[in-house]
Amino acid sequence: MKSSLKAISLLVVIMLFTIVAAACGSSSKVSVGIVLPTKDEPRWVQDEQRFKDALNGTKYTTEILFSQGSSAKEKENVDALIAKGIKVLIICPQDGDAAAASVEAAKKAGIKVISYDRLITNTDAVNYYVTFDSVAVGKAQAKYLVDHAKGKGQPLYLYAGAASDNNAFLFFQGAWSVLQPKIADGTFKVANSSEAVSLQATAELSRDQLSKIIGQVTTNWDANEAKNKAQTHLTAASADKKGDVAILAPNDGTARSIADVFATDKAITSFFVTGQDAEKASIQYIIDSKQSMTVFKDVRTLVKDAMGMAVSILDGKTPETTGSYKNGKIDVKAKQTNVIVVEKSNVKSALIDSGYYQASDFKGL
């Protein structure tokens, strides 16, 4: 009898342990996995909190991991999220091509993939793309330079993002479409890219032609690399490539570095320099007349669009899209978010009045 009671007691303990273990297992499951490029840039840290806030009030859970500039780490992150049973993967790739292997693993696991901000290329494993209109960003930057051009033959310095980032190509493509006619008619003369000079009569560049120019003027989205490149270009520049200059800088981090270099050269009498992302440091630079403009991409809207798309998928609905992008393998359905040009005159209306930043974040506003 005692042995029977012991056996029953042991069985009860085992059953309770199994129930608790199952409960713990189910609680560790994650609905939406998010992989972002790095914690070393303010933009992505801000995105992390916004993604968390976007799921508040829903029955779904999320886990956010950072790749820290490594495609290998990115793959580890995706594999870890797959193991946690995610149903939707939102991923901003470190390298558009390299991320293909990660999302193909997700597809095999039955997970829907949303490419966030940067397009994952050369794979059919991407279901949706949430993005700002990257071509429009480049056009806005270039239009600002054209609108502020001074006379004929003004030196134009070109800089680009990372050659591994499809967005860098789209930004430059948009900028070139606006700048090229003004290069061809002599308004601007390219000061720092022999490839751009050789292609100045070509209105629409192929991917290979874009790659050749970007290869010469890439910053790799790195402020130090941008600084070093600008110093090299100015050291090599003849007098006719100085004076009043125009500078196409791809984003705010590189814009500040490049601006700092040009500001210290006494042969540069004035410069207009573009930016992108409306980083706090660059808004202060704009207020202080050290940077000319930035393209504001309201990440709140982008996060809302991405998470709204994820929730639609989880609810068994078809997400709303507004266009598509070729990724080298398929046309990826996309939801596009508009961009806003910010300069000194509209910092308050665009960024403070909209609640994106506080007036107390800045001096001299």
Side-chain angles (χ1 to χ4, degrees):
M1 184 70 176
K2 283 183 180 179
S3 62
S4 296
L5 284 170
K6 280 182 180 179
I8 291 167
S9 298
L10 183 61
L11 186 61
V12 169
V13 170
I14 291 169
M15 287 173 68
L16 285 170
F17 179 80
T18 304
I19 291 166
V20 170
C24 290
S26 63
S27 68
S28 67
K29 282 195 172 183
V30 176
S31 313
V32 183
I34 300 171
V35 180
L36 299 175
T38 178
K39 259 195 164 177
D40 295 335
E41 292 178 27
R43 156 73 196 280
W44 306 115
V45 177
Q46 290 169 353
D47 273 17
E48 177 185 24
Q49 188 56 50
R50 287 174 182 135
F51 272 118
K52 288 176 181 175
D53 293 343
L55 267 192
N56 281 346
T58 75
K59 60 185 177 183
Y60 301 117
T61 56
T62 188
E63 183 167 338
I64 302 169
L65 301 174
F66 291 87
S67 303
Q68 291 308 103
S70 164
S71 292
K73 178 66 176 172
E74 181 177 85
K75 180 72 166 66
E76 287 176 20
N77 287 338
V78 173
D79 289 343
L81 292 168
I82 292 171
K84 292 199 172 184
I86 62 168
K87 301 296 181 189
V88 179
L89 172 66
I90 297 173
I91 176 170
C92 180
Q94 176 62 34
D95 178 311
D97 278 349
S102 297
V103 297
E104 282 160 12
K107 182 184 178 183
K108 284 179 185 173
I111 295 162
K112 296 292 185 185
V113 175
I114 299 171
S115 195
Y116 175 73
D117 196 45
R118 300 173 183 168
L119 183 60
I120 298 167
T121 45
N122 294 310
T123 178
D124 63 359
V126 183
N127 300 98
Y128 298 100
Y129 180 31
V130 175
T131 183
F132 294 103
D133 187 340
S134 298
V135 173
V137 171
K139 285 182 176 180
Q141 291 173 328
K143 185 178 184 300
Y144 189 90
L145 295 180
V146 169
D147 288 347
H148 293 84
K150 296 189 175 184
K152 288 281 186 180
Q154 184 174 6
L156 171 66
Y157 288 81
L158 302 171
Y159 296 95
S164 61
D165 180 0
N166 188 64
N167 274 4
F169 283 78
L170 297 174
F171 297 142
F172 201 88
Q173 175 192 328
W176 185 261
S177 70
V178 175
L179 291 173
Q180 186 273 332
K182 294 299 180 180
I183 298 169
D185 73 7
T187 300
F188 293 121
K189 58 180 178 184
V190 177
N192 65 331
S193 169
S194 59
E195 292 289 351
V197 171
S198 69
L199 291 164
Q200 63 185 13
T202 308
E204 196 168 324
L205 300 176
S206 67
R207 180 83 177 192
D208 184 58
Q209 289 169 328
L210 283 166
S211 185
K212 285 178 179 176
I213 299 175
I214 290 171
Q216 284 190 327
V217 300
T218 180
T219 63
N220 281 314
W221 299 125
D222 182 89
N224 283 326
E225 190 163 336
K227 176 184 175 182
N228 293 338
K229 221 152 212 161
Q231 286 173 334
T232 300
H233 293 155
L234 279 184
T235 300
S238 53
D240 65 324
K241 291 179 180 175
K242 296 192 177 183
D244 298 317
V245 304
I247 309 163
L248 178 74
N251 75 338
D252 284 347
T254 59
R256 294 193 302 275
S257 286
I258 293 166
D260 288 347
V261 172
F262 275 75
T264 59
D265 190 314
K266 291 178 181 175
I268 301 293
T269 51
S270 73
F271 62 85
F272 286 95
V273 59
T274 64
Q276 172 183 189
D277 291 332
E279 290 182 3
K280 280 185 184 178
S282 275
I283 299 308
Q284 189 63 60
Y285 261 49
I286 289 170
I287 293 167
D288 296 339
S289 300
K290 293 179 180 179
Q291 182 176 324
S292 311
M293 62 85 82
T294 187
V295 178
F296 173 42
K297 304 182 304 186
D298 194 337
V299 180
R300 294 171 300 183
T301 307
L302 197 69
V303 167
K304 185 180 172 187
D305 286 347
M307 205 53 101
M309 193 173 267
V311 169
S312 290
I313 293 167
L314 291 166
D315 288 344
K317 299 173 184 174
T318 301
E320 176 193 342
T321 55
T322 56
S324 66
Y325 286 77
K326 296 179 187 297
N327 81 337
K329 196 80 175 276
I330 58 169
D331 286 342
V332 182
K333 290 179 181 177
K335 179 90 185 286
Q336 295 167 312
T337 302
N338 292 329
V339 300
I340 301 164
V341 171
V342 175
E343 53 188 320
K344 198 169 185 175
S345 63
N346 69 331
V347 164
K348 187 175 181 299
S349 60
L351 298 173
I352 309 303
D353 295 348
S354 71
Y356 194 80
Y357 289 137
Q358 300 297 314
S360 57
D361 292 335
F362 308 103
K363 294 177 181 176
L365 186 61

